[in-house]
Amino acid sequence: MYHDLPRDASFWSFLRTVDDDLAAETRKKGCSCGGRLHTADYPRKPRGIHPQLSEEQCLRLSFCCDREGCRKRTTPRSVRFLGRKVYLGAIVILISAMRQGPSPRRVRELSARFGANESTIARWQTFWREHFPQTPFWKVERARFITLGKTVVLPYSLVNAFLRGHPLCRGWTCLLRFLSPITVPGALQIKVSH
Ligand SMILES: [Zn+2]
């Protein structure tokens, strides 16, 4: 039922080029103070990455303002990194979604392949079930996924929508691009109302 993640290094390299584009957009806008943005990437070592990828290809792209007295960091959206998680976004989505699906055997295979253990996957489940629905991002976007009488199960419903039937944009890249607004620092913070 699920399309597996593409296994070859070219898929991950391709995601990097999407991140390059997102970073270029951010850089063009510049800092909110009017300063120019200089490259200040983070070295990251995400798990589940293809072994052939270089350190360069695993960088989390980021910028720093060049103005004295500001120096603010700006980190663009990403289709590779989901928050501070050490796993690539696609893997966090796929394994969590499969756990809700009909095939526990494949979940075990995937967990083994990417080295994610049960408690890690349980934390991802909590993220999707309890945290993600409270984000400002999902509160706006969920309307697009609500079909009358159908329950939205996250992230299962998202994977289904993008890999099987989303009319405008289909496939992993579209799903990751759709979710990319939640990858900037602070986007996963939720407001607690009193
Ligand atoms: Zn600045």
Side-chain angles (χ1 to χ4, degrees), residues 134 139 190-194:
Q134 305 299 322
K139 285 185 172 163
I190 49 180
K191 281 196 190 98
V192 181
S193 48
H194 295 281

Side-chain angles (χ1 to χ4, degrees), residues 31-37 65-67 70-72:
C31 181
S32 52
C33 79
R36 278 207 265 168
L37 294 177
C65 177
D66 72 345
R67 268 199 193 162
C70 177
R71 302 282 184 207
K72 204 176 115 199

Side-chain angles (χ1 to χ4, degrees), residues 128-144:
W128 289 109
R129 205 172 42 228
E130 289 164 26
H131 196 99
F132 180 76
Q134 305 299 322
T135 59
F137 170 79
W138 183 245
K139 285 185 172 163
V140 173
E141 294 294 339
R142 72 191 287 270
R144 292 216 255 160

Side-chain angles (χ1 to χ4, degrees), residues 1-188:
M1 140 154 218
Y2 285 101
H3 297 236
D4 205 344
L5 278 176
R7 280 161 197 256
D8 56 343
S10 65
F11 174 65
W12 303 112
S13 303
F14 172 69
L15 293 183
R16 167 62 201 258
T17 65
V18 177
D19 272 9
D20 284 336
D21 291 344
L22 293 171
E25 276 171 33
T26 300
R27 183 173 218 165
K28 219 192 287 174
K29 283 187 208 141
C31 181
S32 52
C33 79
R36 278 207 265 168
L37 294 177
H38 283 197
T39 300
D41 300 335
Y42 293 98
R44 297 280 302 263
K45 271 216 176 87
R47 293 191 202 156
I49 196 104
H50 198 280
Q52 278 168 24
L53 292 185
S54 63
E55 256 172 55
E56 165 87 1
Q57 282 171 308
C58 300
L59 289 173
R60 174 64 161 113
L61 305 176
S62 189
F63 300 103
C64 240
C65 177
D66 72 345
R67 268 199 193 162
E68 201 66 58
C70 177
R71 302 282 184 207
K72 204 176 115 199
R73 186 177 272 283
T74 303
T75 301
R77 295 187 288 148
S78 168
V79 293
R80 296 175 302 151
F81 299 103
L82 184 63
R84 289 162 191 255
K85 291 181 170 44
V86 291
Y87 289 87
L88 286 176
I91 293 162
V92 175
I93 298 164
L94 181 68
I95 297 183
S96 307
M98 286 188 70
R99 198 152 192 235
Q100 297 157 328
S103 179
R105 191 180 65 85
R106 297 201 59 212
V107 177
R108 279 202 298 277
E109 282 171 19
L110 273 174
S111 314
R113 174 140 65 97
F114 296 115
N117 61 26
E118 276 294 307
S119 60
T120 300
I121 298 172
R123 278 201 299 278
W124 295 348
Q125 295 289 112
T126 307
F127 166 78
W128 289 109
R129 205 172 42 228
E130 289 164 26
H131 196 99
F132 180 76
Q134 305 299 322
T135 59
F137 170 79
W138 183 245
K139 285 185 172 163
V140 173
E141 294 294 339
R142 72 191 287 270
R144 292 216 255 160
F145 292 88
I146 303 292
T147 322
L148 215 61
K150 273 202 175 170
T151 318
V152 173
V153 183
L154 293 165
Y156 182 93
S157 303
L158 283 177
V159 174
N160 248 354
F162 278 94
L163 299 195
R164 307 206 53 169
H166 203 277
L168 297 174
C169 184
R170 204 177 277 219
W172 273 103
T173 314
C174 292
L175 172 56
L176 294 169
R177 209 186 251 280
F178 168 75
L179 288 173
S180 67
I182 67 170
T183 63
V184 300
L188 286 174

